[in-house]
Amino acid sequence: MNTVKPMYGWETINWKKVEYHVFKLQKRIYRASERGDVKAVRRLQRLLTNAMDAKILAVRELIQDNGTEKRAGVDGVNRLRNQEKLDLANCLKLGKKTQTRRQVSIPEPGKEEKPAFGILMMMEKAKQGLVKLALEPEWEAKFDRNSYGFRPGRSAQDAIAAIFNGIKEDHKYVLDAHIEKCCEGIYHQKLLAKLNTYPRLRRPIKAWLKSGVMDGKELFPTETDTPQGGLMPLLANIALDGLESLLEDTFKGGVANCQNGKATVVRYADDLVVLDEELAVILTAQETIEAWLGEMGLKLKDSNTRITHTFTEHNGNLGWDFLGYNIRQYPTSKKRSLATGNTEQKIGCQTIIKPSKEAIKRHLQKIDEIIGSHKNSSQEQLINALNPIIRGWSSYYSTVSSKETFGKIDSILFHKLRGWAFFRRNRNQNNTDVISSYWGVNQGIGWKFITPDHKYCLEKHSQTMLKQHVKVKGEKSPFDGDYVYWSERLLNYPGATNAIEV
């Protein structure tokens, strides 16, 4: 298993071989957890955390792959040289002692408040990555089917596809909820009891939870939050796991005065959606969820929690926004309407999912900032700054009804670029000269924002191909060993991501 020796250099590591060896152990952990063999799970996790392959993979994922881990902890270190990376991997050993975290306020898109995060030291981040490699396959075999946030092989598009499948055949009431301070209010003892792992993994996790944070030169104890790092999303998912099965058990016998008595639950991290045809089921589900969250020290955020309807107005609400998408049903003719279930009755509407107004506003603000900061830059530099933003945002919304939105944004972007071009024009240039300098309309290639040498061209949102996203199957996981399914899925969705700033 230890294919990498200390004498080898970081540049000579055979990463394909390292990843294969780690995945092989993770697959065995997943299968053992799936069949309930706790003894085998613990034995394989010990083997994985002691393996050199897993240690260097944890360091690589921290240093090279994870762009959000560039902030330094108390040690002030955020970059390592190649030899230092190998030294860090050789020194990785899970122990009880841990260092304090540095508190940092990080703004979130679309929110005025800046939540505080505890940033760990480089060594502690690498240890968390190692623990995650061992814990993730165990819990992937246990997680709810409709949980999609921060899980391998799953993305926001899968959550949206699950919602579409839940409402495409009928009108439904919706509980749109957000869990308040999901990573800051979790009771440590409840989380550790639910984790139920062996002492070698339990001790460092408990130490990270209790390590405290440094705000300036002051040390504050931590009693209810989880540390910022690669392990935090996994711990939050573990704490929230069981909501779907809870509601399934609650409504197994139905609800009084309701014909349906079955709710559909979709969760992405701390965002939660419950769907049902009956309002009474939604109200009962909200009470059940609040009581269950209270046992973990959590609660629903009042300002972000509401009950709405997909087709008709309810309490002033119609449709809702989720993960940057707007979801709603619109009236339509019988010819375009789907049938209700297996009957011939038409529902009289169609479900349309498109980018939300807030997501469009944030995207245009981002474009404004880039154009404003490049007033004195060359056209090439402006194009290179805008293209990744346009490409990423368009790709995120390429699985829904975004054609009209893409066209409108391209029109707005043209006027912004036109203002940028006119700001830079010389005294002797008229409007036609300016347009000819930056666009190819007079060169027979259309309204393309392109450099005179044709090497750099601005991409348009409307150039993105729209393609329906196929939701990941039920309880499928990359650790289940189904190579045919996952190879085909990665071929069709190579750029699938878990989260994106929208």
Side-chain angles (χ1 to χ4, degrees), residues 300-346:
L300 297 180
K301 191 172 183 179
D302 295 334
S303 60
N304 289 9
T305 299
R306 60 175 184 161
I307 296 177
T308 181
H309 195 271
T310 58
F311 185 56
T312 59
E313 188 173 326
H314 176 76
N315 292 336
N317 299 321
L318 178 58
W320 80 104
D321 293 343
F322 187 68
L323 302 179
Y325 297 87
N326 177 262
I327 307 168
R328 183 182 161 186
Q329 290 176 326
Y330 295 83
T332 186
S333 63
K334 291 185 177 181
K335 293 182 179 180
R336 301 186 63 184
S337 175
L338 293 175
T340 302
N342 296 324
T343 66
E344 296 182 357
Q345 181 181 356
K346 302 292 185 177

Side-chain angles (χ1 to χ4, degrees), residues 468-486:
Q468 185 178 359
H469 182 85
V470 179
K471 188 181 79 68
V472 64
K473 288 184 179 178
E475 299 177 351
K476 297 295 291 183
S477 171
F479 302 115
D480 60 11
D482 191 347
Y483 300 109
V484 175
Y485 174 81
W486 287 105

Side-chain angles (χ1 to χ4, degrees), residues 49-59 89-90 92-93 130:
T49 53
N50 289 327
M52 188 61 185
D53 283 347
K55 293 178 180 180
I56 64 170
L57 189 60
V59 173
N90 288 324
L92 276 187
K93 187 176 181 181
L130 183 61

Side-chain angles (χ1 to χ4, degrees), residues 129-381:
L130 183 61
V131 172
K132 182 184 177 183
L133 289 176
L135 280 180
E136 193 168 52
E138 175 192 358
W139 280 92
E140 276 295 312
K142 304 176 183 178
F143 280 143
D144 292 332
R145 297 184 302 273
N146 285 318
S147 167
Y148 300 97
F150 302 105
R151 291 182 57 187
R154 296 179 176 231
S155 64
Q157 287 77 13
D158 290 312
I160 297 300
I163 292 175
F164 178 80
N165 293 338
I167 65 176
K168 67 180 181 180
E169 294 183 352
D170 208 348
H171 316 143
K172 290 191 177 181
Y173 286 93
V174 182
L175 171 63
D176 178 24
H178 178 82
I179 301 173
E180 185 174 9
K181 297 181 179 180
C182 179
C183 296
E184 300 175 28
I186 299 174
Y187 290 154
H188 291 171
Q189 293 302 323
K190 292 285 187 179
L191 176 59
L192 292 172
K194 193 171 184 178
L195 192 61
N196 191 28
T197 189
Y198 65 104
R200 183 178 176 84
L201 291 185
R202 189 179 188 275
R203 280 194 294 265
I205 293 174
K206 183 178 181 180
W208 286 320
L209 296 174
K210 302 290 185 181
S211 61
V213 295
M214 290 286 293
D215 191 359
K217 296 183 178 180
E218 295 186 40
L219 175 64
F220 297 92
T222 53
E223 297 296 335
T224 58
D225 69 334
T226 54
Q228 172 73 1
L231 194 61
M232 183 185 70
L234 177 60
L235 293 179
N237 272 334
I238 292 173
L240 297 175
D241 181 57
L243 268 177
E244 186 176 349
S245 57
L246 169 73
L247 293 179
E248 286 180 357
D249 295 338
T250 302
F251 300 123
K252 186 176 293 184
V255 179
N257 302 323
C258 293
Q259 299 177 355
N260 184 7
K262 183 180 179 182
T264 301
V265 186
V266 177
R267 183 176 65 84
Y268 188 93
D270 54 0
D271 290 313
L272 179 69
V273 171
V274 183
L275 308 167
D276 196 85
E277 300 171 13
E278 303 287 346
L279 179 60
V281 174
I282 297 297
L283 295 173
T284 305
Q286 183 176 3
E287 295 175 358
T288 305
I289 291 171
E290 288 177 343
W292 186 83
L293 290 175
E295 298 177 358
M296 293 294 298
L298 302 171
K299 64 178 181 178
L300 297 180
K301 191 172 183 179
D302 295 334
S303 60
N304 289 9
T305 299
R306 60 175 184 161
I307 296 177
T308 181
H309 195 271
T310 58
F311 185 56
T312 59
E313 188 173 326
H314 176 76
N315 292 336
N317 299 321
L318 178 58
W320 80 104
D321 293 343
F322 187 68
L323 302 179
Y325 297 87
N326 177 262
I327 307 168
R328 183 182 161 186
Q329 290 176 326
Y330 295 83
T332 186
S333 63
K334 291 185 177 181
K335 293 182 179 180
R336 301 186 63 184
S337 175
L338 293 175
T340 302
N342 296 324
T343 66
E344 296 182 357
Q345 181 181 356
K346 302 292 185 177
I347 63 175
C349 67
Q350 64 178 126
T351 302
I352 296 180
I353 303 176
K354 57 186 179 181
S356 67
K357 292 182 180 179
E358 287 298 321
I360 297 171
K361 181 180 177 181
R362 289 195 296 268
H363 181 54
L364 291 176
Q365 286 177 347
K366 182 67 174 178
I367 290 176
D368 269 340
E369 293 173 2
I370 294 175
I371 294 177
S373 62
H374 286 75
K375 286 185 177 179
N376 298 319
S377 303
S378 65
Q379 185 183 16
E380 172 188 337
Q381 292 172 327

Side-chain angles (χ1 to χ4, degrees), residues 351-355 397-406 466:
T351 302
I352 296 180
I353 303 176
K354 57 186 179 181
Y397 291 105
S398 63
T399 59
V400 296
S401 303
S402 305
K403 183 177 180 180
E404 183 178 351
T405 301
F406 286 169
L466 300 185

